Amino acid sequence: VADIVANAQKEVQENEEVTWSLWGLVHYLGPDAVWEDKNGEEWHMDDLVYMQNATLSNESACGGTHALFALAYARNTYQNSGQRLRSYWLEADQKIQKHIEAAKAMQNLDGSFSYDYFFQKSASENFQERLETTGHTLEFLMMALPDDRLNEEWVRKAVSLLANDIINNKDEPVDYSALYHAIDGLVIYRNRMSPDRTAQLGSKSFPKQDQSKTDVKVLKPAVPPAIPELPELPPKQ
């Protein structure tokens, strides 16, 4: 594993998809990691978060759910280290929150998520399509949502729909990738809801930092410009 991580550090580039590098490197190296690539250029984990923020779109793989999952895992790891969200990490959280609400708003009445992911509301009667889109979206949500939202009706409805869909279509041939993401989402949900909470929502291998020593810039509230007094209107004739 160490060799794979070291190779990923050396091979990271600005013009390539960063999703899998971000997920893997933040897990093994932590949110404050600094390293050099094969050309001697210095990289910070913040750089990968910035790149993922900048490239996330509806055109991303699987509607952006892979990128969002990686961002959520990275954000969780950052927060697990005791740091307050700021800079690119805060931007990542804002994107995560935006897509959580988009998934909820575009959810279909049966509990499935939109076939067009976060672009527009749509439904599919095809099991393979439902498995792919609802599975990917649920997987992202299970990494992104806080504990106090797991019991919300729309979340439970999606979990129930997906689980029953898989059972009811157990004899149907499906794409293994779609099945993997769907099962992973259900497993994370099960583990988060279990009494011992065994789900790993970001790495916890890195010591928490003393917040008193964290350099956080406090912005002063903007002062609105003074409104000039308007001249009195002449009395009506």
Side-chain angles (χ1 to χ4, degrees):
V1 174
D3 290 340
I4 296 174
V5 172
N7 182 70
Q9 290 176 276
K10 295 297 183 183
E11 295 296 330
V12 65
Q13 298 180 36
E14 292 185 20
N15 59 347
E16 293 187 357
E17 183 180 3
V18 72
T19 297
W20 308 115
S21 296
L22 172 60
W23 184 10
L25 292 179
V26 78
H27 175 79
Y28 287 105
L29 303 178
D32 301 310
V34 181
W35 69 93
E36 290 186 356
D37 64 18
K38 61 184 179 182
N39 298 317
E41 182 178 351
E42 185 175 274
W43 286 81
H44 296 244
M45 196 63 68
D46 297 39
D47 297 327
L48 301 189
V49 176
Y50 165 78
M51 290 167 60
Q52 189 67 91
N53 286 339
T55 57
L56 176 63
S57 73
N58 291 321
E59 302 301 321
S60 301
C62 299
T65 52
H66 293 172
L68 287 163
F69 185 93
L71 278 178
Y73 192 92
R75 178 207 61 180
N76 295 347
T77 300
Y78 186 85
Q79 290 182 304
N80 289 344
S81 71
Q83 302 183 68
R84 286 178 287 182
L85 294 172
R86 57 190 176 88
S87 185
Y88 303 135
W89 300 92
L90 178 58
E91 182 184 355
D93 181 64
Q94 291 171 339
K95 287 181 179 292
I96 291 166
Q97 301 304 329
K98 172 186 174 182
H99 284 82
I100 288 174
E101 296 311 313
K104 180 181 179 181
M106 297 179 192
Q107 186 179 30
N108 297 307
L109 292 177
D110 64 356
S112 64
F113 290 114
S114 173
Y115 177 62
D116 290 302
Y117 292 100
F118 309 101
F119 179 65
Q120 62 185 4
K121 189 169 185 175
S122 61
S124 175
E125 296 183 0
N126 181 278
F127 168 60
Q128 171 66 42
E129 293 176 347
R130 288 197 306 275
L131 182 71
E132 180 175 343
T133 54
T134 299
H136 274 88
T137 304
L138 182 69
E139 183 185 41
F140 150 62
L141 291 170
M142 289 303 98
M143 185 56 61
L145 285 170
D147 288 341
D148 59 5
R149 297 198 64 182
L150 295 181
N151 270 317
E152 291 183 7
E153 182 180 1
W154 69 282
V155 177
R156 296 174 64 88
K157 197 171 183 179
V159 170
S160 178
L161 178 281
L162 185 59
N164 284 304
D165 224 2
I166 293 173
I167 293 171
N168 295 336
N169 293 277
K170 62 181 183 295
D171 296 325
E172 292 291 325
V174 295
D175 176 71
Y176 67 88
S177 176
L179 183 61
Y180 162 79
H181 289 288
I183 294 297
D184 189 44
L186 291 172
V187 168
I188 297 174
Y189 175 79
R190 181 199 65 187
N191 292 346
R192 291 189 67 180
M193 296 298 287
S194 66
D196 54 357
R197 298 185 182 277
T198 56
Q200 184 171 7
L201 305 180
S203 178
K204 297 183 179 180
S205 303
F206 309 97
K208 292 188 176 183
Q209 296 190 356
D210 184 353
Q211 282 296 308
S212 64
K213 298 180 181 179
T214 302
D215 182 18
V216 179
K217 182 182 291 185
V218 179
L219 300 178
K220 295 181 179 179
V223 179
I227 300 175
E229 294 185 4
L230 299 176
E232 294 184 4
L233 296 175
K236 292 183 179 180
Q237 299 296 331

